[in-house]
Structures are given as C-alpha cells and as structure tokens.
Amino acid sequence: MPPESQVDAPLILASLIILGILGCSLTLWIRHIQKPRDTINESPGIPAWSIGWVNFGIFICAMVIAVFMAQNIGVALFFEASSEGEAPRELTPWIAVLAVLLLQLPMLATFYGARRFYPGHYASELNVSTLSAVTALRQALPYFLMYLPVIWIVTLLWTSLLNALEAAGAIESFAPQELITLFQAGGSPLAIGILVIMAIVLAPIVEEIIFRGCIYRFLKSQTTRLPAQILSSCIFSMMHANLMSFVPLVIVGIVLARLYEKSGNLMVSISFHAFFNAFSLCMLFITSMSQAIPQ
C-alpha cells in the first residue's frame, strides 16, 4: 500500500487565513457598495505642504546626507575595511538590524530636526483630525481587509507579466527582497525578533511621515490629488529597490495616501502599513515551514 500522504499544516493554515480574509473583504465591499451615499462622511482632506521646490530640495538633500553619513559611520564603527577582491559581506540578521536603523533613524531625525530648528518652513501640521492609536487601528483594519485581496490580484498580474518578460528574454531573472530571503533563511532569534518589531512599528511610522506626511503633501501643492498620490507612491516603491514588488507597492502607497486624505490623520495610514507588514511577515513565516508551498 502507498504510504499515507503527510498533512501539510502550514498550507492548511495559510489557506484558511486567505479564505477568511477573502470572505471578510467581500462582506465589507458589499456593505460599502450598499451604504447610502448620504451616510458617507465627507473626507476632511489634508492640507498641501506649500514650501516651494527650493526648501523641499533642501529637506530631501539633508535627509539623503544624513542617511549617507550615518551608514558610513556605522560601517566604520562596526565593520573592518574589506580588501580588494573580497566577496561581498553576507547579509545576516544583525547586519540587517543595523542597516534598517541606519536608514530609518536618520530620516526621522532629519524630519524632526527640520521642524525643530526651522519651524517657519517645516513645522506644518500633519493631521487635521485627532485620533487615538486605538481608534486609528480600528479605522484602518476594515480598509486593510478590503484592499488586501486587491493587492494580491495586482501582485499576481504583475508577477505573471514579469515571468512572461523573463521567459521572452526581455528582462533578466529577478530576485526577492533581501529581507525576505533573510527571514526565510533564519538566524539569530533575537535579531529576527528586533527586525520584526522594526518592520511593524518603526518602518510604518518613519515611512508614513516621510512619504505621505512630507513627499505626498508637497507634491499635492504642485499638482492635483491623484497625480500626487501616484507619484509619491512610485517614489515609495522605488525606495524598496525590488522589481517584483514595484507595482504592488505603488498600489499600497496609493491606498495609504487615500486613507490619509479620508481620515485626516496619519495614524490611520501608519496602522494600515503596520497591518500590511505584520501580515506579510506572518504569511512568510507560515509558508517557510511548508513543504508544499514554493519558497
């Protein structure tokens, strides 16, 4: 008799989670469509950041210089100089922790430094409505459940297009993001735990402040709302430097900007971003334990 096939528990769990989200999303979309138009609250909107191209350029340049200096100081302090011809240093969890800190913290420091020392140009209000963290999480969760399947569909279409282009020889093979490979490979549990916390807490806060609170609001002062959302989302996606995730992250960025406009508070966008990162890491962890799901 043939041996009994082993049940793949991670595959079953991932399938149940996906089916649950699809069911929740469908229910929320139906309720949204059936909601009377007169019961939909008017969007408070977000004021544009009208500081001009010169001051905005100074802000961006200061942020780039801060990141560059922090990363070079970090390399000088924590790593020996590599000799010529030496293979590139392998990415480890602790190196990833340092890399994330040396990217996110200088960006955040530049933002608060500009607001602190040059309030006339950079200290405009980010929010037009006041929300507690709990309220922001409660507002963001339904939108996360609604839009996550949309992001999945875009991801499948974009991946299919890239696979077709690769098969036709139009592009070279593309690799997943280094952090995804790192999580799959494992390593120091403490470093992995710190990376998870930073992905769920630090990254959403910093990236929403910079890309929605600053870049989107400035672009909105130079054009209309939709082009500003698209352009700021393209910049947000390019920062992740991965072709496979480019279009899906553009869609994520547009959703985040629209939530910012709709709620009038950046905490809602931060909460959505945190949900998205947490879910992505959770599914990555589950699928990494499966023998049936391709890695």
Side-chain angles (χ1 to χ4, degrees):
M1 295 179 61
E4 294 184 2
S5 58
Q6 187 176 1
V7 175
D8 193 306
L11 174 60
I12 294 174
L13 178 58
S15 301
L16 290 174
I17 292 173
I18 291 172
L19 288 174
I21 289 176
L22 289 173
C24 291
S25 179
L26 180 61
T27 302
L28 290 168
W29 277 112
I30 292 173
R31 290 179 57 186
H32 176 73
I33 293 170
Q34 293 179 340
K35 183 182 294 185
R37 297 293 96 185
D38 56 359
T39 63
I40 298 177
N41 296 329
E42 192 70 25
S43 170
I46 294 296
W49 194 24
S50 303
I51 60 171
W53 281 103
V54 172
N55 289 319
F56 180 73
I58 292 172
F59 173 74
I60 295 298
C61 288
M63 190 164 53
V64 171
I65 292 170
V67 172
F68 178 79
M69 291 180 60
Q71 291 180 344
N72 279 274
I73 292 172
V75 169
L77 289 176
F78 296 103
F79 302 107
E80 297 180 0
S82 57
S83 59
E84 186 176 350
E86 185 179 350
R89 187 175 284 107
E90 181 183 359
L91 182 66
T92 66
W94 284 114
I95 292 178
V97 168
L98 182 62
V100 172
L101 287 175
L102 293 179
L103 173 65
Q104 304 281 358
L105 293 185
M107 292 168 64
L108 192 62
T110 302
F111 170 77
Y112 280 105
R115 290 170 66 87
R116 172 67 176 81
F117 296 107
Y118 301 96
H121 294 301
Y122 302 111
S124 61
E125 291 295 330
L126 293 176
N127 303 314
V128 296
S129 63
T130 303
L131 297 176
S132 66
V134 174
T135 302
L137 287 168
R138 290 176 59 185
Q139 286 192 15
L141 182 57
Y143 290 107
F144 170 72
L145 295 173
M146 287 175 66
Y147 284 106
L148 187 58
V150 176
I151 297 167
W152 289 344
I153 294 171
V154 172
T155 302
L156 288 173
L157 294 174
W158 178 241
T159 303
S160 299
L161 176 60
L162 290 180
N163 288 332
L165 292 174
E166 183 183 354
I171 61 172
E172 297 180 357
S173 60
F174 44 89
Q177 293 186 47
E178 287 186 328
L179 284 180
I180 292 178
T181 305
L182 183 67
F183 278 116
Q184 290 176 334
S188 168
L190 177 59
I192 294 293
I194 294 173
L195 276 174
V196 169
I197 293 173
M198 290 194 298
I200 297 174
V201 179
L202 179 63
I205 292 173
V206 175
E207 292 177 9
E208 290 312 300
I209 287 175
I210 299 301
F211 289 98
R212 254 59 65 180
C214 295
I215 294 177
Y216 166 64
R217 288 175 56 237
F218 170 74
L219 292 174
K220 185 180 173 182
S221 73
Q222 303 298 312
T223 182
T224 55
R225 182 181 297 185
L226 183 58
Q229 291 172 355
I230 295 173
L231 185 54
S232 63
S233 299
C234 289
I235 298 171
F236 167 70
S237 184
M238 286 190 290
M239 190 202 73
H240 292 80
N242 187 265
L243 181 61
M244 185 183 295
S245 63
F246 176 75
V247 172
L249 286 181
V250 170
I251 301 302
V252 171
I254 292 172
V255 171
L256 289 168
R258 293 180 70 85
L259 280 182
Y260 186 26
E261 287 282 356
K262 184 177 181 62
S263 64
N265 193 293
L266 198 60
M267 278 295 299
V268 178
S269 297
I270 292 172
S271 300
F272 185 104
H273 198 148
F275 283 135
F276 181 78
N277 285 1
F279 176 81
S280 300
L281 292 176
C282 178
M283 293 301 292
L284 188 63
F285 175 72
I286 293 172
T287 57
S288 67
M289 297 188 297
S290 171
Q291 300 298 319
I293 302 175
Q295 301 301 314

